[in-house]
């Protein structure tokens, strides 16, 4: 399957600039699957190494004929206690911790999914696809390991999108993702996450 922007279903990659999503791009290139759009949602609080990886992946994408990563952000929020435009500022202004610290999963929805969908809402190929009654295909980089097996049930399909998890279809766990990235001549990115994420493991500090 080689997606082009003239097909009914444009192919959008939700790119987190971490190991899994980078491996997903590598695997897509191996299989001749060309994305129409690659979106990175900048929450404003990623690790410095993650932001430093952007020029590296942009150069690789150009070398294989893939589109460049488009960086999207949430607009400035006007909260009860002040304005904020990043997760870090959100926590400081409201004197709280990320929602994950309280057992919720609001970070991804508010800071990643929302700005990506907002971009697609004005992206011509998506608008034209929806006008024809089609759905945009969105690739998400959940790997075939046990942790991501629990997460991939969150999305399958809605009115606008069909969600697919190619790494799982290829049988790539995190270790295989790392091997494929190195085999493609790319350096390994760090795990994509806010530098203060509550799910950070001691070994990652």
């Amino acid at each position: 399957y080689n997606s082009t922007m003239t097909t009914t279903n444009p192919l959008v990659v939700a790119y987190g600039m971490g190991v899994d999503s980078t491996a997903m791009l590598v695997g897509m290139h191996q299989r001749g699957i060309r994305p129409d759009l690659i979106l990175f949602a900048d929450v404003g609080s990623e690790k410095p190494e993650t932001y430093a990886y952007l020029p590296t992946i942009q150069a690789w994408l150009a070398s294989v004929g893939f589109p460049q990563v488009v960086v999207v952000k949430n607009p400035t929020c006007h909260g009860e206690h002040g304005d904020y435009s990043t997760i870090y500022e959100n926590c400081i202004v409201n004197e709280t911790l990320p929602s994950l610290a309280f057992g919720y999963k609001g970070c991804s929805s508010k800071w990643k999914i929302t700005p990506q969908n907002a971009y697609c809402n004005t992206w011509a190929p998506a608008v034209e696809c929806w006008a024809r009654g089609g759905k945009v295909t969105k690739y998400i980089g959940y790997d075939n390991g046990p942790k991501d097996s629990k997460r991939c049930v969150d999305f399958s399909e809605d009115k606008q999108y069909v969600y697919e998890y190619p790494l799982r279809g290829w049988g790539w766990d995190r270790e295989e993702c790392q091997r494929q990235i190195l085999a493609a001549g790319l350096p390994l990115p760090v795990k994509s996450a806010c530098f203060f994420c509550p799910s950070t493991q001691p070994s990652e500090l």
Side-chain angles (χ1 to χ4, degrees):
Y1 170 73
N2 189 0
S3 176
T4 68
M5 286 191 284
T6 58
T7 61
T8 301
N9 297 321
L11 176 54
V12 177
V13 168
Y15 184 55
M17 212 132 58
V19 172
D20 287 350
S21 58
T22 298
M24 182 169 66
L25 291 172
V26 169
M28 291 172 66
H29 172 58
Q30 292 174 355
R31 290 160 176 78
I33 304 171
R34 186 183 187 279
D36 299 312
L37 179 66
I38 305 172
L39 293 175
F40 170 70
D42 180 10
V43 303
S45 305
E46 295 276 358
K47 300 164 189 170
E49 294 90 344
T50 297
Y51 293 116
Y53 199 80
L54 183 58
T56 299
I57 195 63
Q58 296 285 46
W60 181 84
L61 292 169
S63 74
V64 300
F66 277 14
Q68 294 286 281
V69 174
V70 175
V71 179
V72 295
K73 298 181 180 181
N74 255 349
T76 298
C77 298
H78 305 288
E80 181 180 350
H81 303 290
D83 297 344
Y84 55 87
S85 58
T86 70
I87 293 182
Y88 179 79
E89 291 174 352
N90 188 174
C91 293
I92 296 301
V93 168
N94 292 332
E95 299 180 359
T96 187
L97 294 171
S99 65
L100 191 60
F102 307 105
Y104 301 104
K105 297 181 179 179
C107 293
S108 292
S109 177
K110 178 177 180 177
W111 296 96
K112 293 189 175 183
I113 297 172
T114 297
Q116 289 187 34
N117 287 351
Y119 184 92
C120 286
N121 286 342
T122 60
W123 182 53
V127 174
E128 293 166 4
C129 170
W130 294 325
R132 293 192 300 268
K135 295 185 178 184
V136 173
T137 299
K138 183 177 286 190
Y139 273 15
I140 299 175
Y142 287 169
D143 65 41
N144 202 40
K147 288 185 177 180
D148 280 0
S149 295
K150 299 176 182 178
R151 297 200 297 167
C152 70
V153 299
D154 292 346
F155 304 102
S156 57
E157 191 169 349
D158 58 33
K159 292 181 179 180
Q160 292 181 307
Y161 295 93
V162 174
Y163 302 95
E164 297 186 10
Y165 309 90
L167 292 175
R168 300 186 58 75
W170 306 334
W172 287 14
D173 59 14
R174 192 167 187 82
E175 289 71 26
E176 181 62 21
C177 287
Q178 293 172 335
R179 285 192 289 269
Q180 293 291 342
I181 291 170
L182 293 173
L186 283 164
L188 282 179
V190 299
K191 181 180 179 181
S192 175
C194 291
F195 65 86
F196 50 86
C197 181
S199 68
T200 303
Q201 302 299 307
S203 62
E204 296 167 359
L205 293 173

